[in-house]
CSV table of all heavy atoms in Angstrom, one decimal:
chain,number,residue,atom,x,y,z
Z,188,HIS,N,-0.9,-1.4,-7.7
Z,188,HIS,CA,0.0,-2.3,-7.0
Z,188,HIS,C,1.4,-1.8,-7.1
Z,188,HIS,O,1.8,-1.0,-7.9
Z,188,HIS,CB,0.0,-3.7,-7.7
Z,188,HIS,CG,-1.4,-4.4,-7.5
Z,188,HIS,ND1,-1.9,-4.7,-6.3
Z,188,HIS,CD2,-2.3,-4.7,-8.4
Z,188,HIS,CE1,-3.0,-5.3,-6.5
Z,188,HIS,NE2,-3.3,-5.2,-7.8
Z,189,SER,N,2.3,-2.1,-6.1
Z,189,SER,CA,3.6,-1.7,-6.1
Z,189,SER,C,4.6,-3.0,-6.0
Z,189,SER,O,4.1,-4.1,-5.8
Z,189,SER,CB,3.9,-0.9,-4.8
Z,189,SER,OG,3.7,-1.6,-3.7
Z,190,SER,N,5.8,-2.8,-6.6
Z,190,SER,CA,6.7,-3.8,-6.5
Z,190,SER,C,7.8,-3.6,-5.5
Z,190,SER,O,8.2,-2.5,-5.4
Z,190,SER,CB,7.3,-4.0,-7.9
Z,190,SER,OG,6.3,-4.3,-8.9
Z,191,SER,N,8.3,-4.7,-5.0
Z,191,SER,CA,9.3,-4.5,-4.0
Z,191,SER,C,10.6,-4.1,-4.7
Z,191,SER,O,10.9,-4.8,-5.8
Z,191,SER,CB,9.5,-5.8,-3.3
Z,191,SER,OG,10.8,-5.8,-2.5
Z,192,LEU,N,11.5,-3.3,-4.1
Z,192,LEU,CA,12.8,-2.9,-4.7
Z,192,LEU,C,13.7,-4.1,-4.8
Z,192,LEU,O,14.7,-4.2,-5.5
Z,192,LEU,CB,13.4,-1.8,-4.1
Z,192,LEU,CG,12.7,-0.4,-4.2
Z,192,LEU,CD1,13.4,0.7,-3.5
Z,192,LEU,CD2,12.5,-0.1,-5.6
Z,193,ASP,N,13.4,-5.1,-3.9
Z,193,ASP,CA,14.2,-6.3,-3.8
Z,193,ASP,C,13.7,-7.5,-4.8
Z,193,ASP,O,14.4,-8.6,-4.8
Z,193,ASP,CB,14.2,-6.8,-2.2
Z,193,ASP,CG,14.8,-5.9,-1.3
Z,193,ASP,OD1,15.8,-5.2,-1.8
Z,193,ASP,OD2,14.4,-5.8,-0.2
Z,194,ALA,N,12.6,-7.2,-5.5
Z,194,ALA,CA,12.1,-8.3,-6.4
Z,194,ALA,C,13.2,-8.4,-7.5
Z,194,ALA,O,13.6,-7.5,-8.1
Z,194,ALA,CB,10.8,-7.8,-6.9
Z,195,ALA,N,13.4,-9.7,-7.7
Z,195,ALA,CA,14.4,-10.1,-8.8
Z,195,ALA,C,13.6,-10.0,-10.2
Z,195,ALA,O,12.5,-10.4,-10.3
Z,195,ALA,CB,14.7,-11.6,-8.7
Z,196,ILE,N,14.3,-9.3,-11.1
Z,196,ILE,CA,13.7,-9.1,-12.4
Z,196,ILE,C,14.4,-9.9,-13.5
Z,196,ILE,O,13.9,-10.0,-14.7
Z,196,ILE,CB,13.7,-7.6,-12.8
Z,196,ILE,CG1,15.0,-7.0,-12.7
Z,196,ILE,CG2,12.8,-6.8,-11.9
Z,196,ILE,CD1,15.2,-5.6,-13.2
Z,197,SER,N,15.7,-10.4,-13.1
Z,197,SER,CA,16.4,-11.3,-14.1
Z,197,SER,C,17.4,-12.1,-13.3
Z,197,SER,O,17.7,-11.7,-12.3
Z,197,SER,CB,17.0,-10.5,-15.2
Z,197,SER,OG,17.9,-9.6,-14.7
Z,198,SER,N,17.9,-13.1,-13.9
Z,198,SER,CA,18.9,-14.0,-13.3
Z,198,SER,C,19.8,-14.4,-14.4
Z,198,SER,O,19.4,-14.8,-15.5
Z,198,SER,CB,18.3,-15.0,-12.4
Z,198,SER,OG,17.5,-15.9,-13.3
Z,199,ASP,N,21.1,-14.6,-14.0
Z,199,ASP,CA,22.1,-15.1,-14.9
Z,199,ASP,C,23.1,-16.0,-14.1
Z,199,ASP,O,22.9,-16.2,-13.0
Z,199,ASP,CB,22.8,-14.0,-15.7
Z,199,ASP,CG,23.3,-12.9,-14.8
Z,199,ASP,OD1,23.7,-13.3,-13.7
Z,199,ASP,OD2,23.2,-11.8,-15.3
Z,200,GLU,N,24.2,-16.2,-14.7
Z,200,GLU,CA,25.2,-17.1,-13.9
Z,200,GLU,C,25.8,-16.4,-12.8
Z,200,GLU,O,26.3,-17.0,-11.8
Z,200,GLU,CB,26.4,-17.4,-15.0
Z,200,GLU,CG,25.9,-18.4,-16.0
Z,200,GLU,CD,27.0,-18.7,-17.1
Z,200,GLU,OE1,28.1,-18.2,-16.9
Z,200,GLU,OE2,26.8,-19.5,-17.9
Z,201,GLU,N,25.8,-15.1,-12.9
Z,201,GLU,CA,26.4,-14.2,-11.7
Z,201,GLU,C,25.4,-13.9,-10.7
Z,201,GLU,O,25.7,-13.3,-9.7
Z,201,GLU,CB,26.9,-12.9,-12.3
Z,201,GLU,CG,28.0,-13.1,-13.3
Z,201,GLU,CD,28.5,-11.8,-13.9
Z,201,GLU,OE1,28.0,-10.7,-13.4
Z,201,GLU,OE2,29.4,-11.7,-14.7
Z,202,GLY,N,24.1,-14.4,-10.8
Z,202,GLY,CA,23.1,-14.3,-9.8
Z,202,GLY,C,22.0,-13.4,-10.2
Z,202,GLY,O,21.8,-13.1,-11.4
Z,203,GLU,N,21.1,-13.2,-9.3
Z,203,GLU,CA,19.9,-12.4,-9.6
Z,203,GLU,C,20.2,-10.9,-9.6
Z,203,GLU,O,21.0,-10.5,-8.9
Z,203,GLU,CB,18.8,-12.8,-8.6
Z,203,GLU,CG,18.2,-14.2,-8.7
Z,203,GLU,CD,17.0,-14.4,-7.8
Z,203,GLU,OE1,16.9,-13.6,-6.7
Z,203,GLU,OE2,16.3,-15.4,-7.9
Z,204,THR,N,19.3,-10.3,-10.4
Z,204,THR,CA,19.3,-8.8,-10.5
Z,204,THR,C,18.1,-8.4,-10.0
Z,204,THR,O,16.9,-8.6,-10.5
Z,204,THR,CB,19.6,-8.3,-12.0
Z,204,THR,OG1,20.8,-8.8,-12.5
Z,204,THR,CG2,19.7,-6.8,-12.0
Z,205,ALA,N,18.2,-7.4,-9.0
Z,205,ALA,CA,17.0,-6.8,-8.3
Z,205,ALA,C,16.6,-5.4,-9.0
Z,205,ALA,O,17.5,-4.8,-9.5
Z,205,ALA,CB,17.2,-6.6,-6.9
Z,206,LEU,N,15.4,-5.0,-8.8
Z,206,LEU,CA,15.0,-3.8,-9.4
Z,206,LEU,C,15.8,-2.5,-8.8
Z,206,LEU,O,16.1,-1.6,-9.4
Z,206,LEU,CB,13.5,-3.6,-9.0
Z,206,LEU,CG,12.7,-2.3,-9.5
Z,206,LEU,CD1,12.9,-2.1,-10.9
Z,206,LEU,CD2,11.3,-2.2,-9.1
Z,207,ALA,N,16.2,-2.7,-7.5
Z,207,ALA,CA,16.9,-1.7,-6.9
Z,207,ALA,C,18.2,-1.4,-7.5
Z,207,ALA,O,18.8,-0.3,-7.4
Z,207,ALA,CB,17.1,-2.0,-5.4
Z,208,ASP,N,18.8,-2.5,-8.2
Z,208,ASP,CA,20.1,-2.2,-8.9
Z,208,ASP,C,20.0,-1.3,-10.0
Z,208,ASP,O,21.0,-0.8,-10.5
Z,208,ASP,CB,20.6,-3.7,-9.4
Z,208,ASP,CG,20.8,-4.6,-8.4
Z,208,ASP,OD1,21.1,-4.1,-7.2
Z,208,ASP,OD2,20.7,-5.9,-8.6
Z,209,PHE,N,18.8,-1.0,-10.6
Z,209,PHE,CA,18.7,-0.1,-11.6
Z,209,PHE,C,18.2,1.4,-11.2
Z,209,PHE,O,18.0,2.2,-12.0
Z,209,PHE,CB,17.6,-0.7,-12.7
Z,209,PHE,CG,18.1,-1.8,-13.3
Z,209,PHE,CD1,17.9,-3.0,-12.8
Z,209,PHE,CD2,18.9,-1.8,-14.5
Z,209,PHE,CE1,18.3,-4.3,-13.3
Z,209,PHE,CE2,19.3,-3.0,-15.2
Z,209,PHE,CZ,19.1,-4.2,-14.6
Z,210,ILE,N,18.1,1.6,-9.9
Z,210,ILE,CA,17.7,2.8,-9.5
Z,210,ILE,C,19.0,3.6,-9.0
Z,210,ILE,O,19.7,3.1,-8.1
Z,210,ILE,CB,16.7,2.7,-8.2
Z,210,ILE,CG1,15.5,2.0,-8.8
Z,210,ILE,CG2,16.4,4.0,-7.6
Z,210,ILE,CD1,14.4,1.7,-7.8
Z,211,GLY,N,19.0,4.9,-9.4
Z,211,GLY,CA,20.1,5.7,-9.0
Z,211,GLY,C,20.1,6.1,-7.5
Z,211,GLY,O,19.1,6.0,-6.8
Z,212,LYS,N,21.3,6.5,-7.1
Z,212,LYS,CA,21.4,6.8,-5.7
Z,212,LYS,C,21.8,8.4,-5.6
Z,212,LYS,O,22.2,8.9,-6.5
Z,212,LYS,CB,22.5,6.0,-4.9
Z,212,LYS,CG,22.2,4.5,-4.9
Z,212,LYS,CD,23.4,3.8,-4.2
Z,212,LYS,CE,23.1,2.2,-4.2
Z,212,LYS,NZ,24.3,1.5,-3.6
Z,213,ASP,N,21.4,9.0,-4.4
Z,213,ASP,CA,21.8,10.3,-4.1
Z,213,ASP,C,23.3,10.5,-4.2
Z,213,ASP,O,24.0,9.7,-3.6
Z,213,ASP,CB,21.3,10.8,-2.9
Z,213,ASP,CG,19.7,10.8,-2.8
Z,213,ASP,OD1,19.1,10.8,-3.9
Z,213,ASP,OD2,19.2,10.7,-1.7
Z,214,ASP,N,23.7,11.5,-5.0
Z,214,ASP,CA,25.0,11.8,-5.1
Z,214,ASP,C,25.3,13.1,-4.3
Z,214,ASP,O,24.8,14.2,-4.6
Z,214,ASP,CB,25.4,12.2,-6.6
Z,214,ASP,CG,27.0,12.5,-6.7
Z,214,ASP,OD1,27.7,12.5,-5.7
Z,214,ASP,OD2,27.3,12.5,-7.9
Z,215,PRO,N,26.0,13.0,-3.2
Z,215,PRO,CA,26.2,14.1,-2.3
Z,215,PRO,C,26.8,15.3,-3.0
Z,215,PRO,O,26.6,16.5,-2.6
Z,215,PRO,CB,27.2,13.6,-1.2
Z,215,PRO,CG,26.9,12.1,-1.1
Z,215,PRO,CD,26.6,11.8,-2.6
Z,216,ALA,N,27.6,15.1,-4.0
Z,216,ALA,CA,28.3,16.2,-4.6
Z,216,ALA,C,27.3,17.0,-5.5
Z,216,ALA,O,27.6,18.2,-5.7
Z,216,ALA,CB,29.3,15.6,-5.7
Z,217,MET,N,26.2,16.5,-5.8
Z,217,MET,CA,25.1,17.2,-6.5
Z,217,MET,C,24.7,18.5,-5.8
Z,217,MET,O,24.3,19.5,-6.3
Z,217,MET,CB,24.0,16.4,-7.0
Z,217,MET,CG,24.4,15.4,-8.1
Z,217,MET,SD,25.0,16.1,-9.6
Z,217,MET,CE,23.4,16.9,-10.1
Z,218,GLU,N,24.7,18.2,-4.5
Z,218,GLU,CA,24.2,19.3,-3.5
Z,218,GLU,C,25.0,20.6,-3.7
Z,218,GLU,O,24.7,21.7,-3.3
Z,218,GLU,CB,24.1,18.8,-2.1
Z,218,GLU,CG,23.2,17.7,-1.9
Z,218,GLU,CD,23.2,17.2,-0.5
Z,218,GLU,OE1,23.9,17.7,0.3
Z,218,GLU,OE2,22.5,16.1,-0.2
Z,219,LEU,N,26.4,20.4,-4.0
Z,219,LEU,CA,27.3,21.5,-4.1
Z,219,LEU,C,27.1,22.3,-5.4
Z,219,LEU,O,27.7,23.4,-5.5
Z,219,LEU,CB,28.7,21.0,-4.1
Z,219,LEU,CG,29.0,20.1,-2.7
Z,219,LEU,CD1,30.5,19.6,-2.8
Z,219,LEU,CD2,28.9,21.0,-1.6
Z,220,VAL,N,26.5,21.7,-6.4
Z,220,VAL,CA,26.4,22.4,-7.7
Z,220,VAL,C,25.7,23.8,-7.5
Z,220,VAL,O,26.2,24.7,-8.1
Z,220,VAL,CB,25.7,21.5,-8.7
Z,220,VAL,CG1,25.3,22.3,-10.0
Z,220,VAL,CG2,26.3,20.2,-9.0
Side-chain angles (χ1 to χ4, degrees):
H188 296 294
S189 61
S190 298
S191 170
L192 294 179
D193 296 324
I196 58 176
S197 65
S198 60
D199 50 34
E200 295 180 356
E201 297 181 358
E203 292 185 342
T204 301
L206 180 60
D208 297 333
F209 293 88
I210 298 179
K212 298 180 180 179
D213 290 337
D214 184 353
M217 291 298 295
E218 299 177 2
L219 301 177
V220 173

